[in-house]
Amino acid sequence: MAGILAGKSALVTGGGSGIGRATSLAMAREGARVAVADQTEAAAAETVAMINSSGGQAIAIGADVADEAQVQAMVARSVAAFGRLDCAFNNAGISPRHVGPAGQRTHEMSRESFDGMLAVNLTGVFLCMKHEIVQMLAQGGGAIVNTASIAGLIGLYSASNYVAAKHGVVGVTKSAALEYAQDNIRVNCVNPGYIKTPMTDPSMAERYDQLMTKVPMHRLGTPEEIAEAVVWMCSDRASFMTGASHVIDGGYYAA
Ligand code: NAP
């Protein structure tokens, strides 16, 4: 397929839902062969079926990004299928409600809730980068995009575990960008604001009107609006971009 990712091979984590699914579809539309990974392989397989039905090329991989052996195997399967790894979108993530009750302030949060969040949203990104970079060094380059959040740049109430993890993603992105700038490997992160996905839907309903007063565009973003930027950041058109945090939030961070 022609497109700005023509001839490239990509890996997307959290590709069975939300931003990861939209980005997998957009990458395929732009010509990439896509390894779609998710902790639930069936969800990844649904995304793959969508890609294949549009004439794209994709495989599904089941992997938990918090488990290093599974991450290593995920990268190996992706490379075995497509021969190389040009673009990696480390996007799998969870929200605070996955690891504890909603609405907890810092002094109410359990150690398990904090550690459980970091394991997926920060250590998961580190583990993916680690194994992807080994392959990218061997083949002479690549582009990595990590999913941070506006929560990687500002504080949010009742989410100190999530905010800590996302600030960490911004940090490891910057360090890796410096370390591999001479190796033709670019490392950036995308920082979405409030996006309409299964992760946000349950919590949004209760406080939608209040939240939207803080967003200058007065609406949620779509997964497709994040995908467009990620595709570009992975492409050779973003050739001088590394170590950057790219905010896409309808103006929230600027307000
Ligand atoms: P989503 O629709 O829930 O998608 C997240 C995907 O990641 C799901 O398929 C989920 O699987 C998978 N996942 C969770 N834990 C995993 C693990 N340990 N290993 C592998 N896969 C795992 O949510 P989303 O909104 O698209 O979120 C994608 C990323 O964007 C996350 O990093 C999130 O923090 C970030 N983000 C989202 C927003 C927003 O407003 N939606 C804003 C800023 C940043 P299950 O469905 O089985 O849990």
Side-chain angles (χ1 to χ4, degrees):
M1 271 195 191
I4 63 173
L5 297 182
K8 295 196 185 289
S9 301
L11 169 63
V12 177
T13 69
S17 181
I19 293 168
R21 170 169 288 173
T23 305
S24 300
L25 294 170
M27 285 175 157
R29 187 197 66 218
E30 291 297 335
R33 294 166 296 177
V34 189
V36 182
D38 208 290
Q39 63 181 349
T40 312
E41 188 166 345
E46 280 179 25
T47 306
V48 166
M50 292 175 191
I51 291 172
N52 290 340
S53 70
S54 319
Q57 203 182 334
I59 60 160
I61 302 173
D64 176 354
V65 295
D67 180 318
E68 182 160 10
Q70 291 189 38
V71 169
Q72 190 167 12
M74 170 186 78
V75 173
R77 259 195 81 192
S78 166
V79 173
F82 300 136
R84 51 189 289 119
L85 178 60
D86 301 295
C87 317
F89 183 37
N90 300 319
N91 162 77
I94 56 175
S95 73
R97 73 186 158 79
H98 287 93
V99 287
Q104 289 190 315
R105 290 190 290 164
T106 301
H107 75 282
E108 298 163 320
M109 197 171 275
S110 69
R111 169 78 191 259
E112 289 69 29
S113 168
F114 198 83
D115 288 349
M117 173 61 72
L118 291 192
V120 177
N121 282 15
L122 178 55
T123 308
V125 169
F126 158 72
L127 291 173
C128 289
M129 282 207 299
K130 174 180 168 176
H131 292 283
E132 291 155 3
I133 287 168
V134 170
Q135 171 62 27
M136 289 177 177
L137 285 171
Q139 70 190 24
I144 295 173
V145 177
N146 298 318
T147 302
S149 166
I150 49 167
L153 302 170
I154 58 171
L156 295 177
Y157 283 95
S158 306
S160 58
N161 52 2
Y162 187 80
V163 167
K166 294 300 188 180
H167 274 70
V169 171
V170 172
V172 295
T173 298
K174 288 177 181 172
S175 280
L178 306 183
E179 290 169 353
Y180 302 103
Q182 296 295 312
D183 297 299
N184 197 31
I185 301 172
R186 295 184 300 103
V187 188
N188 295 289
C189 62
V190 66
N191 297 62
Y194 291 105
I195 309 301
K196 187 168 172 46
T197 72
M199 176 183 282
T200 45
D201 279 350
S203 56
M204 283 293 161
E206 302 142 26
R207 49 199 181 102
Y208 182 82
D209 291 339
Q210 183 221 335
L211 268 179
M212 288 309 109
T213 63
K214 298 181 183 169
V215 180
M217 286 190 175
H218 295 314
R219 67 170 177 86
L220 298 174
T222 66
E224 290 74 20
E225 288 173 314
I226 306 303
E228 286 299 326
V230 175
V231 164
W232 179 79
M233 289 160 78
C234 284
S235 80
D236 295 339
R237 293 193 190 172
S239 51
F240 199 50
M241 183 184 197
T242 199
S245 291
H246 191 48
V247 174
I248 307 172
D249 67 347
Y252 183 104
Y253 184 59

